[in-house]
Amino acid sequence: MAPAAMRTAAQSIAGAKPVSYWLDDPAKPDALPALTGDEHTDLLVVGGGYSGLWTALIAKERDPERDVVLIEGHEVGWAASGRNGGFCAASLTHGLANGVERWPDEIAKLEELGERNLDAIEAAVARYGIDCEFERTGEIDVATEPHQLDELREWHEEIVKLGITGVDFLDRDALRAEVDSPTFLGGLWDRRGVAMLHPAKLAWGLKRACQGRGVRIYEHTRGLDLVRSGTGMAVRTPYGRVFARRVALGTNVFPSLVKRVRPYTVPVYDYALMTEPLTPEQLASIGWKGRQGLGDSANQFHYFRLSADNRILWGGYDAIYPYGGRLSSDLDQRPETFLKLAEQFFTCFPQLSGLNFTHAWGGAIDTCSRFTAFFGTAHQGRVAYAAGFTGLGVGSTRFGADVMLDLLSGEETERTRLEMVRSKPMPFPPEPFAWAGIEITKRSLARADSNGGHRNLWLRAMDKLGLGFDS
């Protein structure tokens, strides 16, 4: 990038607040008191992100008389659930292509369950009056390189053969009529399979819905360990204990209370910027009347969308794995990544030169080697867990909640019969091998992006083994 353009990018982020735009909102509810002393309940949910909130809420919907307690180590929605891009997808498999590759025999059922799950989220938002700016606008996968356009065209032909409808191929002119960027060559528009929403307001709305159903929520209450207690389980917290017949773990990126689950995930830090609101003239210069979510088709991809007040969220590209899987708030800010994102933003939308970013933030998500969630039980079925959503958990965590509750019930359901639910991803190796493997993979993906999509020997080997690394 030319020096003048780099200065423009640097100036655009100079005043950005180092906090998630979504969490920097006056609608943020006050924290609830921490647990002190002992609690007894039928179901304990550990984790106050989407995974735990949906589990607690659905448990009460299934059985209003069931006693449910939820504990959260910080505040509801403060982590990935309040820092993501707000793309709520129907896909349960981190995209149709990943699902077809891994579970071709049950992809039709997985797609059906995903559509039903997104419909159920939309219905719950309406039923509980959750003001989370829900817009079912769909998402466009964008090609910015010729090889990406060829791949999207071929993939659209496969989608048609699979009998999946509602996904349209857009050539350059059709795409730029929707959203105008000189870098866009074409795209695939999934018209109904993705909704845009305000992620933190969804979490806060689910919190209120849980309380309205009688769930007892304790914030600033970290689960420290999990042990058997009589016919049930006990979770120790800093100032008390919770005794429960059953436990659902929705801790995701944070170390699982079931230690054998930990090698299946690693934390990845993802970063995003939010612009100031666009003027009517600026918005007209790019179109975007359909308000779809967008993501480019590179291995190191960007995701971007409009907020309700016509800001642009621009995130992705860098996926940073800290050596040893370290989790630290120090890693939430990465100036070199923010500068890179700003430069890439103005390459995509040069007509918006002079626009400033008001917020710059990052945070950790849990990723697994198959890119999509896995499930299981422990302690003779008294404990269930779901993890590994790999950045696509806004919608699929609700499905994961249903799976955990099914597993805890001990009953076979259409969900628990799925190979996706019954199988596990490959675990990550111990250090230093995890860090070395991830770094080699990241560098190989970057080379593929700059080399016409050609995947080197390392990536082809990873493909053959069904392994990967993604944000």
Side-chain angles (χ1 to χ4, degrees), residues 91-108 110-111 155 162 367-374 388 390 418-428 441 455 459 461-470:
S91 177
L92 304 175
T93 59
H94 209 275
L96 178 60
N98 190 50
V100 168
E101 180 181 347
R102 298 183 186 279
W103 302 288
D105 295 337
E106 62 185 27
I107 191 61
L110 288 167
E111 287 293 293
W155 178 233
L162 289 168
T367 190
C368 69
S369 60
R370 73 183 193 188
F371 303 155
T372 191
F374 62 91
T390 315
L418 292 168
E419 175 63 22
M420 173 192 168
V421 170
R422 293 185 289 112
S423 63
K424 295 283 195 301
M426 286 280 288
F428 289 93
T441 301
R455 298 175 76 81
L459 291 179
M462 294 297 101
D463 292 342
K464 195 167 186 179
L465 292 170
L467 300 175
F469 176 77
D470 195 15

Side-chain angles (χ1 to χ4, degrees), residues 193-417:
V194 183
M196 297 293 106
L197 53 77
H198 187 304
K201 286 184 178 179
L202 175 61
W204 301 334
L206 290 173
K207 174 183 176 180
R208 286 190 294 270
C210 285
Q211 290 178 289
R213 284 275 187 168
V215 177
R216 299 193 300 287
I217 298 175
Y218 297 96
E219 295 180 285
H220 295 288
T221 302
R222 183 183 171 197
L224 300 176
D225 57 43
L226 172 72
V227 297
R228 289 281 297 274
S229 177
T231 59
M233 304 299 301
V235 171
R236 183 171 61 88
T237 72
Y239 306 107
R241 295 172 298 176
V242 183
F243 297 90
R245 290 184 60 250
R246 297 289 184 267
V247 177
L249 300 177
T251 51
N252 294 296
V253 74
F254 300 99
S256 177
L257 293 179
V258 177
K259 292 183 180 179
R260 70 170 184 266
V261 176
R262 296 179 184 179
Y264 289 104
T265 65
V266 295
V268 175
Y269 278 78
D270 182 54
Y271 298 91
L273 302 173
M274 184 68 95
T275 73
E276 61 192 345
L278 273 64
T279 66
E281 294 75 22
Q282 288 170 326
L283 190 57
S285 74
I286 56 174
W288 219 339
K289 293 179 181 178
R291 302 182 58 81
Q292 308 94 330
L294 285 89
D296 60 53
S297 302
N299 292 306
Q300 291 184 289
F301 63 92
H302 302 90
Y303 54 87
F304 39 117
R305 47 81 55 101
L306 288 170
S307 66
D309 59 349
N310 291 329
R311 300 167 183 262
I312 298 177
L313 178 141
W314 178 264
Y317 191 78
D318 271 346
I320 305 301
Y321 169 69
Y323 185 87
R326 183 169 66 97
L327 290 169
S328 171
S329 59
D330 294 342
L331 300 173
D332 293 347
Q333 291 291 305
R334 197 165 192 267
E336 60 267 41
T337 293
F338 296 142
L339 179 59
K340 186 184 301 180
L341 285 172
E343 293 168 357
Q344 293 163 339
F345 176 87
F346 291 114
T347 298
C348 182
F349 294 121
Q351 62 270 53
L352 297 180
S353 178
L355 192 67
N356 290 316
F357 295 97
T358 60
H359 295 75
W361 73 94
I365 59 174
D366 62 328
T367 190
C368 69
S369 60
R370 73 183 193 188
F371 303 155
T372 191
F374 62 91
F375 314 90
T377 61
H379 295 280
Q380 290 76 50
R382 296 175 176 85
V383 177
Y385 56 82
F389 291 94
T390 315
L392 212 70
V394 179
S396 57
T397 45
R398 186 193 176 281
F399 173 80
D402 265 327
V403 170
M404 284 196 285
L405 292 170
D406 288 351
L407 293 172
L408 290 174
S409 76
E411 298 177 3
E412 185 178 274
T413 69
E414 62 179 344
R415 289 176 286 264
T416 61
R417 285 192 294 269

Side-chain angles (χ1 to χ4, degrees), residues 65-129:
E65 301 304 314
R66 189 173 195 179
D67 192 63
V68 179
V69 167
L70 183 149
I71 61 172
E72 160 56 40
H74 189 56
E75 294 183 19
V76 161
W78 76 279
S81 296
R83 306 187 192 201
N84 63 83
F87 287 64
C88 186
S91 177
L92 304 175
T93 59
H94 209 275
L96 178 60
N98 190 50
V100 168
E101 180 181 347
R102 298 183 186 279
W103 302 288
D105 295 337
E106 62 185 27
I107 191 61
K109 173 57 71 173
L110 288 167
E111 287 293 293
E112 175 199 339
L113 289 170
E115 291 172 9
R116 283 161 46 188
N117 184 65
L118 182 54
D119 289 343
I121 292 172
E122 186 172 15
V125 166
R127 183 167 63 254
Y128 292 106

Side-chain angles (χ1 to χ4, degrees), residues 17 21-30 198 201 204 208:
K17 297 172 68 172
Y21 167 77
W22 309 117
L23 295 172
D24 186 25
D25 193 296
K28 183 176 182 290
D30 293 335
H198 187 304
K201 286 184 178 179
W204 301 334
R208 286 190 294 270

Side-chain angles (χ1 to χ4, degrees), residues 139-143 148-149 152-153 156 167-179 184-191 292-294:
E139 180 180 7
I140 303 176
D141 292 332
V142 175
Q148 297 171 8
L149 185 63
L152 288 182
R153 187 179 285 110
H156 183 250
V167 180
D168 297 332
F169 179 80
L170 305 178
D171 63 17
R172 176 183 177 276
D173 291 343
L175 175 55
R176 291 188 64 174
E178 294 294 332
V179 187
F184 291 176
L185 303 180
L188 286 184
W189 183 3
D190 180 353
R191 291 180 177 269
Q292 308 94 330
L294 285 89

